[in-house]
Amino acid sequence: MMKIRIFNSLQCQKSHPQRSYPSSFHRFQTSATSSRAKKSNPFLSLTQDPNPSSFSVPYYSKLLSKCNASKTLYPGMQIHAHTLKFGSTNDPKSRNFLISLYAKCELFGYARKLVDESPEPDLVSWSALISGYAQNGFARDAILAFHDMHLLGLKCNEFTFPSVLKACTFTKDLELGRQVHGIVVVNGFESDEYVGNSLVVLYSKCGKFGDSRRLFEDIPERSVVSWNALFSCYVQSDYFGEAVELFREMILSGIRPNEFSLSSMINACTGLEDSGEGRKIHGFLIKLGYDSDPFSKNALVDMYAKIGNLEDAVVVFEEMTKPDIVSWNALIAGCVLNDKHDSALEFFGQMTLSGTHSNMFTLSSALKACAGIGLKELGRQLHCNLIKLNVGSDPFVHVGLIDMYSKSGLMNDARMVFNLMPDKDLIAWNAVISAHSQNGEDMEALLLFPLMHEAGVGFNQTTLSTVLKSVASLQVNYVCKQVHALSAKSGFQSDRYVVNSLIDACGKCAILEDATRIFRECLIVDLVGFTSIITAYSQSGQGEEALKLYLEMLDRGIEPDPYVCSSLLNASANLSAYEQGKQVHVHVLKHGFMYDNFAGNSLMNMYAKCGSIDDAERAFSSIPERGIVSWSAMIGGLAQHGHGKEALRVFNQMLKYGVSPNQITLVNVLCACNHAGLVTEAQKYFRSMKELFGFEPMQEHYACMIDLLGRAGRLDEAMELVNTMPFQADGSVWGALLGAARIHKNVEIGQRAAEMLLILEPEKSGTHVLLANIYASVGMWNNVAKMRRLMKDCNVKKEPGVSWIEVKDKIYTFIAGDRSHVWSEEIYAKLDELSERLSKAGYIPKVEFDLHDVERDEKEKLLYHHSEKLAVAFGLIATPAGAPIRVKKNLRVCMDCHTAFKFISKIVSREIILRDINRYHHFKDGSCSCGDYW
């Protein structure tokens, strides 16, 4: 009664009465007409001999035994029919052979019918039925049959228990498995090796490795089969290191491994990515004579390919006399995994020529290879082959197609594949959202996210990370906040990938407070998290905080990579923090990142923006593979420093190296001509842009040309270019024209440009200021007053001039008339001293550019207290004699300061490097690198 009660729960789970037959009954028709049924056989004489007495019952039993051993179904059915016809159906031995045969061939309806019709069904009959269910994957039917057998009072033996335990393992029903374990103990079979092995597998597959190991230790005589059972479970559960340790323990115990042991160990080495241990197992295979075993060979090919040793994988593959589809798949997939897409497709072609038919796994790997190198047409052909294979409903294949089409730039085809999917699962939705995001279609990616939610698919950390990437690209802060709230609500805010994506998105959406809070609340912050928050601070102009975070990262023992160093270099560049940038350069050298293109480009950019174009050129020369980004940055750096002819020389050198320019490169080339006044050269490149480089000029190119012509005093030509543009001029074009009008005091063109700018960019104060400057330069003070009133009425505030200077690794900030600095008295005393020396040197303040309606003396005083002059005065006090003074300003340097710095550089014998919003000015020995052309 106790044993019956143990299985009461099973009775509730039975989907059919005791005498009804499983749904698998209907599968006999397919099996009966299979290739096995059509084979010729030696038993046809049975149906041709009319005399039943010529065949005895033992002979029937012998024939059925052969059919059962070879799973020869059709002759077995003939023999069964013959016994029915001539009344020889009562032999238990023959009936058991038939039950076993039908169960093995998945004709469970026939098998169960024979069991139920037996006058006295024995343990052998039930064991054969249960084994057939378990071996063919019908675990629930096996368990129900075991329950029925148990109710009949039949006790299991060492052959029945392994099948029942296998069924429990298949369903991962640990509670039921423990009940069966109890019956095993009651019946005294816990010491049997096969039963013990089945129990070991059951507990390990259900995650109870401690119990599994104890059961393994309790097996009195452990053979290699027992060890293999344990190895297999550990490997399949990704406990690779533990599996290798067990293997060593088995070798020390004197047990000789077989091919199955070694195959499991090869898989463990693959999981560990341990080529050294893998080679040892390979040596075992050769030593023990299993090196020709096809399973072991396939495992070796897979291992060598996955650990990145493709040469050895190919060697093992070529030693195979007849590689099967598994062998080819392992090799091709390994090539794809190691980004050897050409090799993958080459092997795919060889496989086809060898006569081996590809399956969906082969074609999926080939699709990835096509995606990797952009072979669109071959990808389409593979798509056709997949359709012929009739795997159109397989989600794995669909995802591969979406990936292939998206990486080939065929987003319409990728979207069509997605739309035609009958059942779109989470992986498919993630694939199509990621495809849009990777192709720059961030809005499409964002629009799909709510549709995915409506479809009831849900989302995971991959979805959120991809969506946040698109949010960061679009810089839509309200969407960023919504996704942040959703992440917190759904519990994904503790996921490292989501946290890092949130920090990045919040930083790029200018929600720095949220980015900082997420970073500080994260329990475990890794290198990616630090890189994201450092980048956020750097991009928001808070370079000092970015550098502090870097020091905190080092204190935590986190080693930097090229990306975080690049972010720090960009922070130094934005601050013009030359000394701090040099310190980051030291870290780049220390960690061996000098040959990383990403870090190299950032290093070059930092030195260029910190005013050291010589250091920038040295960094440029050290970049091993200079791509278009490197060349464009170097040309732009030279242009901003006024080295126009040198920039053009570098551009021509780039063309000789075969590097094709892009639109940004041509903007930098035109800027180089602009800053150096090279009108003829600029016109040549501008007019032949389409012919020479294959693209039409854009707004930025027109703005450069208009600015260049305007600065050269050719305002009529500049205006004509504005009027003949193939598109509507934007703010950059009208801004260039307004700047040129200010230089040449052209009120008419200045007013026209200002009118357009006030329409396009009404919130910007620069337009009002520049127009007021034009009026002031020609003495139209009434108009200056009107502009000031207009700014007040429209609540437009002039952006204050701010200047920065770095002294001893610290950034100091100054605004006009600032007296908050601790050294204010010394700074203003230095300015007074300079004022006297400047007057003696012949300097005359440019008061006509001051818009304040005050007396000349007051205007001169206001000009002396500009932010850049305060910074330079502080630099003269706080830096060693003879050292260059590096200052950055957020606005264009005014005419008066520009004139004063030329005099100061000569008086104090110091180089002053000033970076304003437009370019760099190197003041030295009384002159400026711009040649007064800025």
Side-chain angles (χ1 to χ4, degrees), residues 485-497:
L486 185 64
S487 302
K489 183 179 179 181
S490 54
F492 283 109
Q493 197 169 342
S494 59
D495 181 86
R496 186 177 299 178
Y497 296 102

Side-chain angles (χ1 to χ4, degrees), residues 56-78:
S56 63
V57 170
Y59 186 64
Y60 283 133
S61 178
K62 184 178 179 181
L63 290 177
L64 286 171
S65 173
K66 290 181 178 180
C67 293
N68 184 46
S70 60
K71 293 173 68 171
T72 312
L73 176 62
Y74 191 61
M77 295 179 76
Q78 287 183 314

Side-chain angles (χ1 to χ4, degrees), residues 27 31 34 36 64-73 96-112 125 127-138:
R27 295 181 61 177
S31 298
S34 67
R36 291 195 300 266
L64 286 171
S65 173
K66 290 181 178 180
C67 293
N68 184 46
S70 60
K71 293 173 68 171
T72 312
L73 176 62
N96 288 340
F97 281 133
L98 277 171
I99 292 169
S100 178
L101 175 64
Y102 287 141
K104 285 178 181 178
C105 295
E106 299 185 43
L107 269 69
F108 297 115
Y110 287 176
R112 183 61 189 259
S125 304
S127 293
L129 179 64
I130 292 167
S131 176
Y133 280 132
Q135 294 295 333
N136 288 287
F138 294 91

Side-chain angles (χ1 to χ4, degrees), residues 22 72 76 173 190 209 347 506 540 572 599 659 729 828 841:
T72 312
D173 190 340
E190 70 274 15
F209 285 95
F347 284 121
C506 289
S540 66
S572 302
V659 180
Y828 281 93

Side-chain angles (χ1 to χ4, degrees), residues 415 418 429 432-433 436-437 441-455 466-467 470-471 474 476 478-479 483:
R415 192 63 184 266
F418 175 76
W429 278 98
V432 74
I433 290 173
H436 281 296
S437 179
E441 299 177 1
D442 297 297
M443 186 55 70
E444 289 294 328
L446 292 187
L447 292 173
L448 279 169
F449 186 46
L451 295 177
M452 176 183 181
H453 187 69
E454 289 174 9
T466 306
V467 169
S470 291
V471 168
L474 294 171
V476 278
Y478 66 95
V479 178
V483 179

Side-chain angles (χ1 to χ4, degrees), residues 744-779:
H744 297 286
K745 303 177 183 179
N746 190 311
V747 177
E748 182 183 350
I749 290 179
Q751 286 178 330
R752 169 67 176 148
E755 286 174 6
M756 296 304 299
L757 282 169
L758 290 173
I759 294 171
L760 294 170
E761 301 170 345
E763 74 287 351
K764 289 192 175 180
S765 63
T767 304
H768 302 78
V769 174
L770 279 174
L771 185 57
N773 277 331
I774 295 173
Y775 290 142
S777 66
V778 295

Side-chain angles (χ1 to χ4, degrees), residues 686-726:
F686 181 77
R687 290 169 181 169
S688 59
M689 199 177 295
K690 173 67 176 177
E691 179 185 345
L692 293 177
F693 309 117
F695 47 80
E696 298 285 352
M698 298 172 60
Q699 288 273 8
E700 292 85 348
H701 303 110
Y702 277 95
C704 285
M705 282 304 301
I706 290 163
D707 190 36
L708 174 63
L709 291 169
R711 289 178 186 276
R714 298 158 70 166
L715 287 171
D716 291 338
E717 290 181 54
M719 197 67 204
E720 183 183 353
L721 193 58
V722 172
N723 294 330
T724 57
M725 285 173 59

